[in-house]
């Protein structure tokens, strides 16, 4: 019997994930580590998606999960955009947009999930804690940019 040629499977092993993460971080941040605010947003997304996947899909909350992921990705895109912009006023506008997305869009979806019992009160407490950490980081970043704007003019 001849051996059939099967396509080689490309499994995401931990070493492959680590190498891809390192390449992405080198490209975006020009260093091997990811910015802490992005790590916190990623952790928030992972926590929420894990809980929704376990409970929410059975309750028909797939659209909310997609909307939530879209908003978190939009917030992350804007924070990466801030790293590439040199004009402090544009940086400030992009970061205020991120703050608005995280405060309004993301929390509207989380509140809806809570009302529909896709996440528990304990998980809400954890999400609030993580949200406050992200908010503090955004405030620190915005304060630094405000100082740069006031120094310019």
């Amino acid at each position: 019997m001849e051996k059939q040629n099967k396509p080689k499977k490309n499994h995401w092993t931990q070493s492959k994930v680590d190498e891809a993460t390192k390449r992405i971080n080198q490209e975006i941040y020009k260093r091997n580590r990811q910015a802490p605010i992005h790590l916190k947003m990623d952790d928030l997304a992972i926590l929420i998606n894990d809980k929704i996947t376990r409970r929410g899909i059975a309750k028909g909350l797939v659209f909310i999960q997609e909307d939530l992921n879209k908003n978190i990705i939009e917030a992350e895109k804007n924070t990466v955009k801030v790293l590439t912009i040199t004009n402090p006023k544009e940086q400030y506008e992009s970061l205020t947009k991120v703050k608005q997305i995280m405060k309004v869009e993301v929390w509207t979806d989380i509140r809806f999930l809570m009302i529909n019992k896709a996440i528990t009160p304990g998980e809400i407490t954890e999400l609030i804690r993580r949200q406050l950490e992200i908010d503090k980081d955004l405030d620190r970043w915005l304060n630094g940019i405000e100082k740069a704007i006031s120094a310019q003019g």
Side-chain angles (χ1 to χ4, degrees):
M1 245 190 230
E2 276 186 46
K3 212 180 192 183
Q4 291 182 358
N5 290 337
K6 292 185 179 179
K8 186 178 175 185
K9 292 184 179 177
N10 188 7
H11 293 288
W12 280 98
T13 61
Q14 189 58 46
S15 62
K16 287 182 181 179
V17 170
D18 292 342
E19 184 61 34
T21 303
K22 187 176 178 181
R23 283 191 205 150
I24 289 168
N25 291 338
Q26 273 301 111
E27 183 64 30
I28 295 173
Y29 310 111
K30 306 297 183 214
R31 60 178 188 255
N32 288 336
R33 287 189 352 211
Q34 194 172 356
I37 193 163
H38 292 111
L39 286 174
K40 289 174 184 172
M41 285 184 185
D42 290 346
D43 289 344
L44 182 72
I46 290 167
L47 176 72
I48 294 169
N49 281 310
D50 182 49
K51 302 306 176 190
I52 295 172
T53 300
R54 284 202 231 147
R55 295 186 204 106
I57 290 176
K59 294 177 181 254
L61 298 172
V62 177
F63 180 74
I64 296 298
Q65 184 177 14
E66 290 171 355
D67 190 48
L68 188 62
N69 286 326
K70 180 185 67 112
N71 288 323
I72 291 173
I73 288 172
E74 188 64 32
E76 287 194 7
K77 283 180 184 178
N78 279 315
T79 53
V80 170
K81 184 178 166 186
V82 170
L83 297 172
T84 62
I85 298 172
T86 55
N87 183 349
K89 290 183 182 178
E90 289 179 35
Q91 287 178 330
Y92 190 82
E93 290 171 10
S94 288
L95 277 182
T96 53
K97 186 175 182 183
V98 170
K99 198 165 169 97
Q100 187 264 337
I101 290 169
M102 293 303 291
K103 282 278 193 185
V104 178
E105 307 294 333
V106 170
W107 280 100
T108 304
D109 293 338
I110 291 172
R111 182 178 174 281
F112 188 82
L113 291 170
M114 183 185 69
I115 290 168
N116 287 287
K117 297 176 179 67
I119 49 182
T120 65
E123 292 161 353
I124 288 292
T125 304
E126 177 66 17
L127 292 173
I128 289 170
R129 185 188 65 76
R130 290 175 188 227
Q131 173 64 24
L132 288 173
E133 288 177 11
I134 292 170
D135 202 39
K136 285 178 187 174
D137 288 350
L138 286 171
D139 284 339
R140 272 188 244 133
W141 203 354
L142 282 167
N143 289 337
I145 292 172
E146 281 177 353
K147 289 177 185 175
I149 290 172
S150 63
Q152 277 185 344

